[in-house]
């Protein structure tokens, strides 16, 4: 019997070894978005999951099904065939999928979708179709914003704004003026330009006058003779655009503008409405971005009614979220602030009076606030990332936060009266949640390093729900993957913990010496390591591990989700502290016996391209090879809002700008550096890289350069695969070989 058991074990071990050997290597087509096999290797998902009130629904190609919140059982609600029968009765083309429909009305048997240049409502109770908006045939509409309360759609064509075919702005063309679109270059959380009031009586919208802003001369080389297609691009320290906020009355077709005063050098952010539609709230900042005011305006007249909250900070104040009123109390709303050093929620009362508070922050910097009555809803050395919604019956706000770990997003129900927080669902990994109308249930899309994807319906009282999907990982099933680990090292300040992600080569041999590459970003609003699939490692990181590289990423000081002091220590001197932390990452690599300390490379994009170039020039004896994508070279060439927030203006911070100007270091280049850009990049304009090349020529150094004609700040589709083939070849040619 013992002999049989030994033979069985030997058989199993041999079979496992053969099975492992039979696994083919993965290619860039497998791991890069745009690759031929990329989507086949992503974990299974359940697209189309949504809420119809408190009823969970799943919209698929052929039908829409209800999903029982306790059992997960599905029942057909609407079919594509019946929708197409209704469309046919109106003389419209058939719909090919139901996956893009929505359920805006909790109490009505209706779905909404856009189709065949119409805004369409299908009543699946009466089987009838209603056509709400017919979009013009001449030009494709953009920025559609449908209002369930009145069934109107706001949209833009060119620089003009329309509501159901009625043009809101003057009929004459205003040179350089844009209506109904995002302003301030999408900073301050601004992602759109129209804002419907709760009952659909009014539409607030942005009007942006860019006529005074200098044109940046982008060039389209795809025409017979290259043509100019300029961008309005206000660079740091230069003249910026002027923004005003209009209020359009749907019934009268009249527009008033908020009487906010001279808009020069001011930012108007985070527009929101009072529940009764009588007031509009705007968070306004000065150009220095160190003084924010929450201002209330009368919606009918545009008159300024008062300042409800003020906040000042010696470095910057950065509002990212509009106020949110409590569904059960129209006099109270939630305001987001980093006033205690971390993004937290504060409950404010519209009926109280202003009073001042002096506070000393975690970085021993004094900030000043003046506010109506304020109650902290959340506190601690962690931050709130999102308000998912409310449970009015239990007087709770449902939030996503980093309370468990800076590497995770977890969901909590917060009692507004007591502040008690109840975790919803698992407390490991990263969660994205979609709340039902009553706030009693949520759809939880969960992932972690161990779980590729798990989708559940969970009650928000913290009790167990029903799991709809537990996906396996096709990458783990089909390929030999590298060992991925995370840990912490000390920052250059000697006290702050920094998270790192380390990827060892596939078929790792501890007796070998491997080249290493640091993948870097390092700037605000970005974090490269989370408790997700592969700890957020990108497909290219995995591919390079397969090619025999050690891959390291360090989230240095200056990056996201660690609080204000962690981020703003780089203020006025971008690149300095961040680079010191990346060098600590190099020291960690060199402490590993299997890393060849003479073959260390670095790669990053955008702010990461700035970091890559800066590291190659500042520490030329450490980094042998670098690939910098879309880099900032000189912060004087970057846009006003982002650049001045973190660097002030070139006029007020000349030393900081000089120290971060990489042209000044062009003569330091020793290793092999390649710059890659999109030919019409509207974010880090090509001037950055062109002037750097000129500086290198003048200094006698020799970087390499590659351009993706007509591409923007990032490459997409097949260009993205080509990009990573190109980056890989550069490291193979110059880092792998001794």
């Amino acid at each position: 019997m013992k002999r049989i058991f030994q033979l069985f074990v030997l058989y199993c071990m041999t079979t496992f070894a053969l099975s492992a050997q039979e696994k083919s290597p993965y290619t860039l087509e497998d791991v890069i978005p745009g690759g031929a096999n990329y989507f086949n290797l992503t974990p299974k998902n359940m697209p189309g999951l949504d809420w119809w009130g408190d009823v969970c629904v799943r919209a698929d190609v052929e039908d829409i099904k209800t999903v029982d919140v306790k059992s997960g059982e599905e029942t057909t609600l609407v079919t594509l065939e019946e929708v197409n029968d209704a469309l046919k009765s109106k003389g419209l083309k058939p719909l090919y999928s139901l996956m893009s429909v929505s359920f805006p009305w909790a109490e009505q048997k209706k779905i909404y979708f856009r189709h065949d240049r119409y805004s369409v409502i299908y009543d699946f109770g009466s089987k009838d179709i209603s056509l709400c908006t017919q979009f013009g045939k001449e030009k494709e509409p953009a920025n559609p914003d449908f209002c369930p309360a009145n069934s109107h759609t706001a949209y833009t064509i060119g620089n003009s704004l329309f509501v159901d075919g009625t043009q809101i702005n003057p009929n004459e063309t205003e040179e350089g003026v844009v209506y109904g679109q995002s302003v301030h270059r999408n900073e301050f959380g601004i992602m759109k330009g129209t804002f419907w009031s709760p009952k659909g009586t009014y539409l607030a919208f942005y009007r942006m006058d860019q006529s005074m802003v200098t044109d940046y001369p982008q060039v389209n080389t795809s025409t017979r003779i290259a043509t100019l297609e300029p961008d309005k691009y206000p660079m740091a320290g230069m003249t910026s655009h002027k923004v005003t906020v209009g209020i359009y009355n749907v019934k009268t077709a009249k527009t008033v503008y908020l009487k906010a005063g001279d808009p020069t050098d001011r930012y108007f952010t985070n527009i929101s409405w009072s529940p009764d539609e009588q007031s509009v709230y705007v968070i306004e900042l000065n150009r220095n971005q160190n003084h924010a005011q929450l201002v209330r305006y009368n919606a009918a007249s545009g008159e300024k009614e008062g300042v409800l909250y003020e906040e000042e900070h010696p470095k910057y104040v950065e509002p990212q979220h509009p106020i949110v009123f409590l569904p059960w109390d129209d006099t109270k709303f939630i305001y987001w602030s980093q006033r205690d050093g971390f993004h937290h929620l504060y409950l404010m009362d519209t009926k109280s009076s202003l009073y001042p508070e002096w506070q000393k922050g975690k970085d021993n910097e004094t900030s000043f606030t003046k506010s109506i009555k304020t109650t902290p809803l959340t506190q601690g050395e962690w931050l709130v990332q999102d308000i998912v919604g409310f449970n009015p019956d239990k007087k709770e706000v449902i939030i996503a936060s980093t309370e468990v770990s800076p590497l995770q997003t977890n969901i909590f129900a917060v009692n507004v009266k007591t502040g008690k927080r109840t975790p919803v669902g698992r407390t490991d990994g990263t969660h994205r949640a979609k709340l039902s109308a009553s706030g009693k249930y949520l759809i939880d899309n969960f992932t972690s390093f161990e779980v590729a994807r798990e989708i559940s319906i969970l009650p928000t009282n913290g009790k167990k729900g029903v799991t709809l999907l537990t996906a396996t990982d096709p990458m783990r099933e089909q390929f030999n993957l590298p060992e991925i680990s995370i840990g912490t090292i000390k920052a250059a300040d000697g006290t702050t913990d920094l998270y790192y992600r380390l990827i060892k080569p596939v078929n790792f041999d501890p007796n070998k010496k491997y080249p290493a590459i640091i993948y870097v970003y390092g700037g605000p609003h970005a974090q490269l390591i989370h408790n997700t699939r592969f700890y957020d490692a990108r497909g290219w990181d995995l591919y390079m591990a397969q090619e025999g590289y050690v891959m390291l990423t360090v989230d240095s000081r200056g990056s996201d989700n660690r609080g204000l002091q962690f981020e703003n220590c780089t203020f006025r001197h971008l690149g300095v502290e961040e680079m010191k932390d990346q060098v600590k990452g190099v020291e960690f690599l060199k402490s590993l016996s299997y890393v060849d300390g003479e073959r260390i490379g670095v790669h990053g994009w955008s702010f990461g391209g700035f970091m890559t170039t800066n590291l190659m020039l500042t520490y030329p004896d450490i980094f042998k090879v670098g690939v910098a994508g879309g880099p900032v070279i000189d912060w004087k060439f970057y846009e006003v809002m982002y650049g001045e927030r973190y660097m002030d203006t070139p006029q007020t911070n000349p030393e900081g700008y000089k120290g971060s100007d990489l042209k000044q270091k062009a003569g330091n280049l020793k290793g092999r550096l390649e710059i890659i850009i999109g030919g019409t990049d509207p974010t880090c304009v090509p001037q950055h890289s062109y002037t750097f090349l000129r500086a290198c020529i003048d200094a006698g150094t020799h970087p390499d350069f590659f351009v993706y004609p007509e591409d923007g700040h990032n490459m997409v589709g097949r260009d993205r695969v080509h990009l990573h083939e190109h980056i890989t070849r550069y490291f193979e040619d110059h880092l792998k070989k001794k």
Side-chain angles (χ1 to χ4, degrees):
M1 181 65 71
K2 182 177 179 180
R3 176 62 176 165
I4 294 175
F5 177 74
Q6 290 173 333
L7 291 172
F8 174 73
V9 171
L10 179 62
Y11 168 77
C12 290
M13 293 175 63
T14 304
T15 302
F16 177 80
L18 289 173
S19 175
Q21 292 173 4
E22 289 170 1
K23 289 184 176 181
S24 60
Y26 41 91
T27 69
L28 289 173
E29 296 285 353
D30 296 320
V31 297
I32 300 298
N37 199 36
Y38 174 77
F39 286 106
N40 295 327
L41 294 172
T42 57
K44 186 178 178 181
N45 203 349
M46 292 185 73
L49 274 180
D50 207 343
W51 291 104
W52 170 34
D54 268 9
V55 178
C56 183
V57 291
R58 184 170 68 85
D60 212 329
V61 175
E62 295 288 340
D63 55 29
I64 302 170
K65 292 183 171 69
T66 61
V67 184
D68 189 277
V69 296
K70 294 183 178 179
S71 68
E73 293 182 1
E74 296 186 348
T75 304
T76 300
L77 183 68
V78 182
T79 67
L80 181 63
E81 182 180 9
E82 67 182 78
V83 174
N84 280 334
D85 286 344
L87 288 170
K88 185 178 180 181
S89 70
K90 298 289 186 179
L92 298 177
K93 298 176 183 177
L95 190 66
Y96 294 104
S97 171
L98 291 173
M99 293 188 69
S100 61
V101 308
S102 61
F103 285 78
W105 303 278
E107 307 299 329
Q108 301 180 49
K109 295 183 176 182
K110 294 179 179 180
I111 58 175
Y112 168 81
F113 55 93
R114 286 183 61 202
H115 174 63
D116 198 17
R117 305 195 75 83
Y118 284 94
S119 176
V120 182
I121 297 173
Y122 174 65
D123 188 320
F124 54 89
S126 65
K127 312 289 186 184
D128 192 27
I129 283 279
S130 300
L131 305 178
C132 303
T133 305
Q134 182 176 10
F135 302 104
K137 295 182 179 180
E138 294 78 17
K139 294 184 178 179
E140 186 68 25
N143 306 301
D145 187 0
F146 176 71
C147 178
N150 62 21
S151 297
H152 292 315
T153 302
Y155 57 94
T156 63
I157 295 179
N159 289 340
S160 295
L161 174 63
F162 297 81
V163 172
D164 282 357
T166 300
Q167 187 168 334
I168 305 306
N169 54 292
N171 290 327
E172 66 271 13
T173 301
E174 299 174 275
E175 187 67 30
V177 181
V178 178
Y179 288 83
Q181 299 183 36
S182 175
V183 299
H184 303 320
R185 298 190 66 83
N186 296 87
E187 297 293 334
F188 315 109
I190 300 171
M191 300 303 294
K192 55 183 246 177
T194 54
F195 310 87
W196 284 105
S197 63
K199 301 173 185 176
T201 305
Y202 301 101
L203 176 73
F205 62 89
Y206 280 126
R207 177 188 184 273
M208 178 170 59
D209 183 355
Q210 301 184 101
S211 59
M212 70 292 295
V213 177
T214 303
D215 287 335
Y216 185 85
Q218 299 282 16
V219 179
N220 180 354
T221 60
S222 66
T223 56
R224 175 64 178 84
I225 296 178
T227 51
L228 281 174
E229 294 182 358
D231 289 332
K232 292 290 186 181
Y233 196 94
M235 291 185 178
M238 298 179 69
T239 302
S240 188
H241 54 242
K242 298 180 182 181
V243 169
T244 49
V245 178
I247 308 295
Y248 174 74
N249 187 311
V250 175
K251 292 182 180 179
T252 66
K254 302 294 185 183
T255 298
V256 300
Y257 283 87
L258 301 187
K259 297 176 182 178
D262 186 358
T264 304
D265 291 338
R266 294 171 66 195
Y267 300 120
F268 297 88
T269 75
N270 297 287
I271 295 173
S272 56
W273 284 92
S274 62
D276 62 8
E277 301 187 308
Q278 299 303 302
S279 302
V280 177
Y281 296 83
V282 182
I283 303 177
E284 303 176 9
L285 287 93
N286 58 339
R287 178 154 175 174
N288 287 340
Q289 301 181 53
N290 57 12
H291 184 194
Q293 292 183 320
L294 173 63
V295 186
R296 182 172 64 206
Y297 293 90
N298 183 282
S301 66
E303 293 287 345
K304 183 175 180 178
E305 294 182 339
V307 177
L308 281 70
Y309 178 81
E310 292 187 70
E311 184 173 344
E312 295 183 66
H313 192 279
K315 292 182 178 178
Y316 53 81
V317 181
E318 189 178 7
Q320 293 282 320
H321 306 275
I323 66 170
V324 182
F325 278 85
L326 300 183
W328 57 87
D329 188 344
D330 290 355
T331 68
K332 292 183 175 63
F333 62 86
I334 294 173
Y335 187 91
W336 300 61
S337 175
Q338 295 190 89
R339 54 192 273 184
D340 74 343
F342 293 85
H343 242 140
H344 280 297
L345 306 182
Y346 296 84
L347 185 64
M348 296 187 181
D349 190 329
T350 60
K351 292 185 176 181
S352 58
S353 301
L354 287 171
Y355 66 94
E357 296 178 82
W358 287 96
Q359 295 190 334
K360 190 164 291 277
K362 300 291 183 183
D363 50 3
N364 291 319
E365 292 176 339
T366 300
S367 62
F368 174 73
T369 64
K370 186 185 289 184
S371 174
I372 55 180
K373 184 179 179 181
T374 303
T375 303
L377 286 182
T378 59
Q379 292 177 296
E381 294 191 359
W382 49 273
L383 53 93
V384 177
Q385 297 172 303
D386 190 21
I387 294 178
V388 180
F390 294 91
N391 183 335
D393 288 347
K394 298 184 70 175
K395 305 295 190 292
E396 291 177 335
V397 54
I398 314 301
I399 67 169
S401 81
T402 64
E403 182 173 0
V404 176
S405 167
L407 303 184
Q408 298 184 178
T409 297
N410 295 96
I411 310 301
F412 291 84
V414 182
N415 186 288
V416 171
K417 185 176 181 180
T418 66
K420 179 183 177 182
R421 295 184 296 278
T422 302
V424 180
R426 304 173 58 147
T427 55
D428 57 333
T430 298
H431 300 254
R432 289 184 293 110
K434 187 180 292 186
L435 200 64
S436 69
S438 72
K440 294 179 180 178
Y441 298 95
L442 59 78
I443 298 167
D444 178 40
N445 197 319
F446 160 76
T447 182
S448 70
F449 183 71
E450 291 79 19
V451 179
R453 179 176 285 117
E454 182 178 278
I455 298 176
S456 306
I457 299 176
L458 304 174
T460 55
N461 60 10
K463 294 183 179 180
K464 188 177 180 180
V466 58
T467 299
L468 305 179
L469 169 71
T470 301
T472 57
D473 194 329
M475 286 286 294
R476 296 182 192 275
E477 293 174 337
Q478 297 184 35
F479 304 113
N480 290 327
L481 294 178
E483 177 187 328
I484 308 173
S485 60
I486 58 174
T488 61
I489 59 174
K490 289 297 180 185
D493 64 5
T495 59
T496 306
D497 285 331
L498 304 176
Y499 290 98
Y500 71 79
R501 179 184 62 236
L502 181 71
I503 308 176
K504 293 180 180 178
V506 174
N507 300 320
F508 173 69
D509 183 348
N511 297 311
K512 287 186 177 181
K513 287 282 191 179
Y514 295 98
I517 299 173
I518 291 177
Y519 176 68
V520 63
Y521 185 80
H525 298 299
Q527 179 181 344
L528 300 183
I529 305 165
H530 296 87
N531 186 4
T532 61
R533 182 189 186 217
F534 306 138
Y535 291 128
D536 264 8
R538 305 169 312 136
W540 184 76
D541 298 316
L542 303 181
Y543 181 77
M544 294 303 281
Q546 181 181 253
E547 298 304 297
Y549 295 84
V550 173
M551 303 296 294
L552 177 72
T553 289
V554 176
D555 276 325
S556 58
R557 288 171 297 154
S559 57
D560 204 15
N561 286 322
R562 297 289 301 278
L564 188 59
Q565 181 183 0
F566 187 89
E567 180 188 276
N568 73 16
C569 69
T570 67
F571 181 63
R572 299 185 103 225
H573 298 279
L574 290 179
V576 177
E577 300 303 320
E578 305 97 310
M579 285 197 299
K580 292 177 184 176
D581 289 350
Q582 295 301 323
V583 170
K584 287 296 179 182
V586 173
E587 292 174 4
F588 168 65
L589 282 174
K590 289 185 174 182
S591 73
L592 304 175
S593 61
Y594 50 85
V595 169
D596 184 345
E598 300 300 314
R599 290 187 293 161
I600 294 179
V602 59
H603 168 50
W605 203 272
S606 194
F607 198 101
F610 163 69
M611 289 288 291
T612 295
T613 309
N614 210 355
L615 286 164
M616 290 290 296
L617 302 176
T618 307
Y619 301 97
D621 295 322
I622 293 178
F623 295 95
K624 183 178 181 181
V625 179
V627 177
V632 176
I633 295 295
D634 185 342
W635 287 99
K636 293 194 302 293
F637 300 154
Y638 204 71
E639 52 95 346
V640 165
M641 297 84 196
Y642 184 102
E644 292 183 4
R645 181 184 315 132
Y646 303 118
M647 287 288 289
D648 280 341
T649 65
Q651 295 90 329
T652 59
N653 184 24
E655 289 304 312
Y657 274 85
K658 182 179 179 180
S660 298
D661 179 359
L662 306 189
K663 301 190 301 296
Q664 305 296 320
K665 304 177 183 180
N668 295 348
L669 182 62
K670 290 184 179 180
R672 297 301 298 259
L673 171 65
E674 180 167 46
I675 306 288
I676 304 176
I677 67 169
T680 56
D681 189 337
T683 304
C684 295
V685 293
Q687 184 173 352
H688 285 278
S689 296
Y690 294 159
T691 57
F692 180 69
L693 295 177
R694 180 72 262 172
C696 289
I697 294 167
D698 293 343
T701 53
H702 297 272
D704 296 306
F705 188 58
F706 194 89
V707 180
Y708 283 86
E710 316 317 321
D711 277 1
H713 190 51
N714 296 102
M715 284 74 248
V716 296
R718 297 301 305 169
D719 283 11
R720 193 164 185 82
V721 178
H722 184 278
L723 167 69
H724 286 91
E725 290 172 344
H726 190 80
I727 296 170
T728 300
R729 289 177 61 176
Y730 199 79
F731 283 110
E732 290 281 274
D733 289 345
H734 302 299
L735 186 64
K736 199 169 191 179
K737 300 173 183 178
K738 288 192 175 181

